[in-house]
Amino acid sequence: MQKLELEPRPVGVGKSLSRRSVLAAGAAAMTLMASRAWSADAASWPTKPLRLIVPAPAGGVSDAIARLLAEPMSANLKQPVIVENMPGGSGVIGCRAVLSAPADGHTMLVITSSILVEVPHVVKLPYDPVKDFVQVADMVRMPLVLVGNAAFPAKNYDELIDVLKAHPGKYSVASYSTGTRAHYAAVVFNHRAGVDLQHVPYKGSAPAVSDLVAGHVPLAFEALPNVLRHIQSGKLRAYGILGPTLPELLPGVPSLVEKGLSELALPGWQGVWLSSATPAPLTQRIHEEVVKAFEASRARQQLAGQGYEFSPPADLATQKKAFTEAFERNAKIVQKFSIRAD
């Protein structure tokens, strides 16, 4: 019988290849199992009441958005949706509450973009906004306005500049928190307008606007929805808007971008965020549910005409790109104007 000759091979090669194949197959199987488990989690979510954490006092924009969102979400998902206000610490208290909760989609963050794309450049935080959070939905955008108490001795922007230049350091300007776009605006305004306003940070929009209306602070940079009704009632006066003019809401009020504050032209936005540890299929499911709930007619009707601009629909990848670009842009503004925490 003819002897079968086998090609020689080094000892252990076949064993090594087999081990690699088994490990690769095992990893693929584990990935597939995890993917199926996450998809199952997304399909069964939610399994308990949902928490919407608002790192601001009741009465502000974030609080209003959260409460408008809670009702349709609860109806759609057949679970209670609880709004929890956790103000203070430039948003740190609320953000840490979300990160410390299980990343199972039952605890969400409802905030203005300032907390994650502006504050981190001025205030040292115990987390990395870009790495630790993922944006689920960008719902509404809000222009910032420079407003004053009706008793302030200036009727328009030009008179305002004259008064401030005649009394350097005499007047103060409020922001809704240290490190936010309102804080940036105060610093940039001083540089560009050649004035010396003293910055007074608050723990949210609600107390800042309350003191402004009461005359305890003369001026403020504030989101338009928070002050529009007071402007329309005559309790406050608008001197300028950061962005395009809005003649239908603020007739005759100039754009501060045209006055030299082009660095702050982009509006802030209100959104819903999750811990980035949340599985991707579940994040996608929550994105879809939040968008559906917010598009409910009651929510949109209540916000219409109050100074909000509805954000165009965007997928998660587009939102992530916009978030990263805004974060990097703000870092340059802080460096350029040497903005620091008060």
Side-chain angles (χ1 to χ4, degrees), residues 140-305:
V140 293
R141 307 213 159 199
M142 309 155 298
L144 205 65
V145 291
L146 173 58
V147 289
N149 183 277
F152 192 80
K155 299 295 188 291
N156 54 50
Y157 180 82
D158 291 334
E159 289 185 10
L160 172 68
I161 298 301
D162 289 341
V163 169
L164 296 181
K165 285 187 174 181
H167 304 281
K170 178 179 178 180
Y171 297 107
S172 58
V173 58
S175 77
Y176 42 82
S177 183
T178 294
T180 61
R181 192 168 53 113
H183 179 190
Y184 290 12
V187 175
V188 175
F189 183 71
N190 276 346
H191 278 271
R192 296 305 192 198
V195 298
D196 184 20
L197 284 169
Q198 305 303 302
H199 175 233
V200 180
Y202 280 76
K203 294 182 179 180
S205 290
V209 173
S210 178
D211 272 9
L212 181 66
V213 171
H216 300 313
V217 61
L219 300 165
F221 279 98
E222 186 54 71
L224 179 58
N226 285 333
V227 293
L228 181 59
R229 64 187 178 91
H230 297 303
I231 295 171
Q232 294 172 336
S233 70
K235 294 179 180 178
L236 299 179
R237 182 180 293 113
Y239 292 109
I241 183 167
L242 280 166
T245 56
L246 296 174
E248 69 281 6
L249 294 177
L250 301 174
V253 177
S255 166
L256 293 184
V257 173
E258 297 170 359
K259 300 292 186 180
L261 277 75
S262 59
E263 292 90 353
L264 303 171
L266 292 180
W269 70 90
Q270 285 288 334
V272 175
W273 309 72
L274 289 170
S275 163
S276 61
T278 309
L282 181 53
T283 300
Q284 178 62 36
R285 167 79 195 283
I286 295 171
H287 163 75
E288 293 166 0
E289 290 293 342
V290 168
V291 170
K292 180 172 71 173
F294 191 69
E295 288 178 347
S297 58
R298 180 177 175 271
R300 294 182 71 91
Q301 287 173 359
Q302 284 196 318
L303 295 175

Side-chain angles (χ1 to χ4, degrees), residues 87-108:
S90 296
V92 171
I93 296 173
C95 290
R96 291 187 73 171
V98 173
L99 293 179
S100 63
D104 57 6
H106 290 88
T107 304
M108 291 172 256

Side-chain angles (χ1 to χ4, degrees), residues 310-329:
F310 294 108
S311 301
D315 57 33
L316 293 173
T318 301
Q319 290 179 166
K320 179 66 175 179
K321 182 175 182 290
F323 168 50
T324 303
E325 290 175 348
F327 189 87
E328 294 172 350
R329 176 178 175 272

Side-chain angles (χ1 to χ4, degrees), residues 49-185:
L50 298 170
R51 301 167 66 204
L52 300 182
I53 305 296
V54 179
V61 175
S62 297
D63 181 66
I65 294 293
R67 294 181 190 282
L68 286 174
L69 188 62
E71 184 178 340
M73 281 190 71
S74 180
N76 293 342
L77 298 171
K78 312 303 181 186
Q79 285 284 356
V81 180
I82 303 164
V83 177
E84 298 182 31
N85 297 90
M86 296 185 180
S90 296
V92 171
I93 296 173
C95 290
R96 291 187 73 171
V98 173
L99 293 179
S100 63
D104 57 6
H106 290 88
T107 304
M108 291 172 256
L109 192 64
V110 182
I111 53 169
T112 176
S113 56
S114 294
I115 300 299
L116 294 179
V117 302
E118 296 160 16
V119 170
H121 302 294
V122 178
V123 178
K124 186 176 181 179
L125 302 175
Y127 45 79
D128 185 326
V130 177
K131 293 181 180 179
D132 293 338
F133 288 95
V134 59
Q135 187 173 8
V136 172
D138 169 4
M139 296 179 293
V140 293
R141 307 213 159 199
M142 309 155 298
L144 205 65
V145 291
L146 173 58
V147 289
N149 183 277
F152 192 80
K155 299 295 188 291
N156 54 50
Y157 180 82
D158 291 334
E159 289 185 10
L160 172 68
I161 298 301
D162 289 341
V163 169
L164 296 181
K165 285 187 174 181
H167 304 281
K170 178 179 178 180
Y171 297 107
S172 58
V173 58
S175 77
Y176 42 82
S177 183
T178 294
T180 61
R181 192 168 53 113
H183 179 190
Y184 290 12

